Amino acid sequence: GTRIKTRKRNIAAPLDPSAFADAVVQIYLDNAGDLELVARSIESSDLNFSRYGDTFFEVVFAGGRTQPGTLKPDEGECHPYSIIECEAKRDAILLSVIYIQKILRRRPFLIKNLENVMRRLLQSLELFEENERKKLAIFTALAFSQKLSGLPPETVFQPLLKDNLVAKGLVLSFITDFFKDYLVDNSLDDLISLLKRGKIEDDLLQFFPSTKRSAEGFSEHFTKAGLVPLVEYNEKKIFEVKLKEMKSALTTQIVEESDMSEVIETVKQRVKDAKLPDIEVIRILWDVIMDAVQWSGKNQQQNANSALRQVKTWAKLLNSFCTSGNIELELIYKVQMQCYEDAKLMKLFPEIVRSLYDQDVLAEDTILHWFRKGTNPKGRQTFVKALEPFVNWLEEAEEEE
C-alpha cells in the first residue's frame, strides 16, 4: 500500500532565438545606437545570454539574427548600428570593440560565443562586400590591439585558410588590411608574437593564392601595401632557414669525411641558391669544422692536437672561400670569438692562426692588420700578447726578404 512518489522532470523551455534577437535589437533602437547606453541596458537586463550568446553577437555584427549559411538578416527586427553598417574607420569601429569588452567583463563566458560567430563570419568572407570585409579586418585588428578578453588568435587565422577563400584572393586582401591596422598601434614584434600564438608565423604564404605563393610574390605584395618591415622580417627568416639547411648538409659531409671537392661543390651550390654573403659562409664553415672535432675532455694537449688536425684537414675548404682580405679578417675574428668563449681553446689562438697561415688560408697582411688594428675587444689583449712572437717572426722574415 506504499505510494511511490515520482520526481517531476524539469521541463525545458523551447529555444526562441528570434525573441532574444528582437529584444537586443530593441535595446539598440531605444538608445539610438549609443553603445555606452546600450551596454548599460544590456547589463541590467535579464536576457538569457548563456543560451543565446551566438545570437547576441550576430546582432552586434550584422544588426539582427542571420539566416544559417548567410549574412542576410532573418525575419525579425534589425538595427542600423552594427559593425557591418558603421563607417569603415578605426574610431567608429573602436567603439564597438570597447562595447564588446564591457559586455565580456560582465559575462566572460560569452568569449566562446564571440569565437563561434567570428569563425563563421571569417569563413564566409565571399558573402561580404569589399568595404564590409575591410570593416571586419579593422575590427579584428582592434580586438587584438585592445586585448579583447583573451580572444585566441587561432580563432581568426585558422578559419581563413579555406581553399576557396584563399584561391579568390579574399584572404590575402583581408589579412593585408588586418596587418596594416594592427601595426598602427603595435610593433612588428607584437604582430609576430600574435602570429606565433595563432600558429601561422612559420608559413604566411598560406594566405596567398597558389599562383602568387612565393618569396618574390610575398615581397612584392607587402612592399606595395607599405609593409616593408614585414617583408624584411620574412626575408631574414628565409635567410636563416637557408643558413640552417646549409649548416646541416655541411655537418653531415664533414662528419662523414666526404671528398673535399664534393664538399666544396656542395657549399658553392648552396651559396648560389640561397644568395648567401661570403662573410656568412666563412662563419658557417668555421663553426661546422670545429663542431665536428672529437674533444677528448680535460687533456689540453689532445684537444689542441684535435683542433689543429681539423684545421689542417679542412684548410682547402676554407681557402676556397677566403677570397678577399675582408673575409680572411672575418675568419680571424671568428677564431678569436671561439677561443674567447671556449676555455679549452683559450691558449690555442696563436697556434690556430699559425696553422691557417701555414695552409695559405690567411695572408700575412691580414694577420698584421688584425694585430695592429683589430676592432673586436673580446680577449684581444690576451690574444695580441700570445700572437706577438709569431708577428715578430713575420716582420723579421719580411725585413729579410
Side-chain angles (χ1 to χ4, degrees):
T2 305
R3 181 179 294 173
I4 299 171
K5 293 181 179 178
T6 57
R7 184 179 296 169
K8 289 183 179 178
R9 295 181 182 276
N10 292 327
I11 300 171
L15 278 171
D16 189 9
S18 297
F20 177 88
D22 289 346
V24 175
V25 167
Q26 195 57 51
I27 291 174
Y28 273 88
L29 296 173
D30 290 345
N31 292 284
D34 185 325
L35 295 179
E36 182 76 34
L37 298 177
V38 171
R40 288 182 197 167
S41 298
I42 284 176
E43 284 176 9
S44 61
S45 72
D46 56 358
L47 293 170
N48 190 352
F49 285 91
S50 59
R51 200 168 197 203
Y52 302 113
D54 283 16
T55 303
F56 170 70
F57 285 111
E58 286 177 13
V59 174
V60 172
F61 279 96
R65 186 171 173 239
T66 57
Q67 296 174 11
T70 73
L71 296 176
K72 295 178 181 177
D74 205 344
E75 293 180 3
E77 293 288 331
C78 289
H79 70 83
Y81 311 109
S82 66
I83 292 169
I84 298 301
E85 292 294 327
C86 75
E87 288 185 277
K89 292 182 179 177
R90 290 170 57 82
D91 293 345
I93 295 172
L94 180 59
L95 295 174
S96 292
V97 175
I98 294 169
Y99 158 69
I100 292 174
Q101 186 77 286
K102 288 178 182 175
I103 302 295
L104 291 175
R105 282 188 190 133
R106 188 72 180 266
R107 297 179 173 85
F109 60 86
L110 284 176
I111 189 67
K112 293 303 293 181
N113 302 105
L114 175 60
E115 287 180 46
N116 293 341
V117 173
M118 283 195 70
R119 188 179 293 112
R120 210 182 314 149
L121 293 174
L122 294 170
Q123 288 178 330
S124 307
L125 283 181
E126 72 266 36
L127 302 178
F128 288 97
E129 300 292 332
E130 184 179 349
N131 198 38
E132 294 171 338
R133 286 195 293 271
K134 186 171 180 63
K135 293 173 193 175
L136 194 55
I138 295 172
F139 171 85
T140 309
L142 289 171
F144 287 124
S145 290
Q146 298 293 317
K147 297 179 172 55
L148 190 61
S149 291
L151 182 68
E154 57 264 32
T155 298
V156 172
F157 301 129
Q158 297 305 322
L160 288 170
L161 298 176
K162 280 180 70 176
D163 291 344
N164 65 317
L165 297 179
V166 173
K168 291 176 182 176
L170 299 178
V171 173
L172 183 56
S173 175
F174 175 90
I175 210 73
T176 303
D177 287 336
F178 170 81
F179 287 163
K180 288 166 77 171
D181 279 290
Y182 185 80
L183 289 171
V184 171
D185 298 323
N186 302 276
S187 69
L188 182 65
D189 287 342
D190 294 328
L191 176 59
I192 301 307
S193 175
L194 187 69
L195 294 171
K196 282 180 180 175
R197 282 163 36 219
K199 300 172 185 174
I200 196 68
E201 178 251 357
D202 287 331
D203 198 2
L204 296 178
L205 286 177
Q206 289 185 61
F207 293 129
F208 282 71
S210 57
T211 53
K212 298 180 180 178
R213 199 169 290 173
S214 66
E216 294 75 20
F218 185 100
S219 298
E220 183 183 345
H221 174 80
F222 285 116
T223 299
K224 198 177 289 184
L227 295 172
V228 175
L230 183 63
V231 172
E232 291 171 349
Y233 166 81
N234 192 60
E235 287 174 348
K236 183 182 176 186
K237 192 170 179 61
I238 291 170
F239 177 74
E240 287 170 353
V241 168
K242 288 179 178 177
L243 280 184
K244 192 174 180 182
E245 288 173 351
M246 176 178 163
K247 201 168 184 177
S248 175
L250 191 55
T251 298
T252 302
Q253 287 186 309
I254 287 181
V255 169
E256 294 175 353
E257 297 184 353
S258 300
D259 183 71
M260 181 69 71
S261 58
E262 185 183 325
V263 176
I264 291 172
E265 192 55 41
T266 298
V267 177
K268 284 182 177 178
Q269 191 58 49
R270 286 189 173 271
V271 168
K272 183 180 176 183
D273 293 344
K275 298 176 183 173
L276 300 175
D278 295 337
I279 283 180
E280 205 62 55
V281 175
I282 207 67
R283 288 172 184 161
I284 292 174
L285 291 179
W286 181 257
D287 282 341
V288 172
I289 288 169
M290 296 311 288
D291 287 347
V293 175
Q294 299 296 317
W295 304 111
S296 63
K298 296 181 180 178
N299 190 314
Q300 185 71 30
Q301 188 56 49
Q302 286 180 336
N303 283 335
N305 292 341
S306 297
L308 294 173
R309 193 184 307 118
Q310 189 78 338
V311 170
K312 189 173 181 179
T313 301
W314 295 102
K316 189 176 179 182
L317 175 63
L318 292 169
N319 198 22
S320 297
F321 295 92
C322 278
T323 53
S324 70
N326 283 338
I327 299 173
E328 289 179 24
L329 190 60
E330 186 61 37
L331 178 57
I332 297 184
Y333 285 139
K334 190 69 185 167
V335 174
Q336 177 186 345
M337 284 303 298
Q338 185 166 19
C339 291
Y340 174 76
E341 293 170 355
D342 192 334
K344 64 178 173 287
L345 298 178
M346 179 67 82
K347 295 180 180 179
L348 276 185
F349 179 78
E351 293 184 60
I352 292 174
V353 172
R354 174 71 182 255
S355 180
L356 290 169
Y357 171 78
D358 290 341
Q359 303 298 325
D360 294 327
V361 177
L362 294 178
E364 178 183 331
D365 290 346
T366 306
I367 296 170
L368 293 175
H369 179 87
W370 176 89
F371 185 81
R372 294 164 183 160
K373 300 179 181 178
T375 55
N376 191 325
K378 293 189 175 179
R380 177 168 170 76
Q381 288 183 331
T382 302
F383 295 142
V384 164
K385 190 172 182 181
L387 196 63
E388 193 170 1
F390 177 58
V391 168
N392 289 339
W393 177 83
L394 285 177
E395 289 174 335
E396 286 171 8
E398 190 176 9
E399 285 175 7
E400 286 175 9
E401 285 177 11

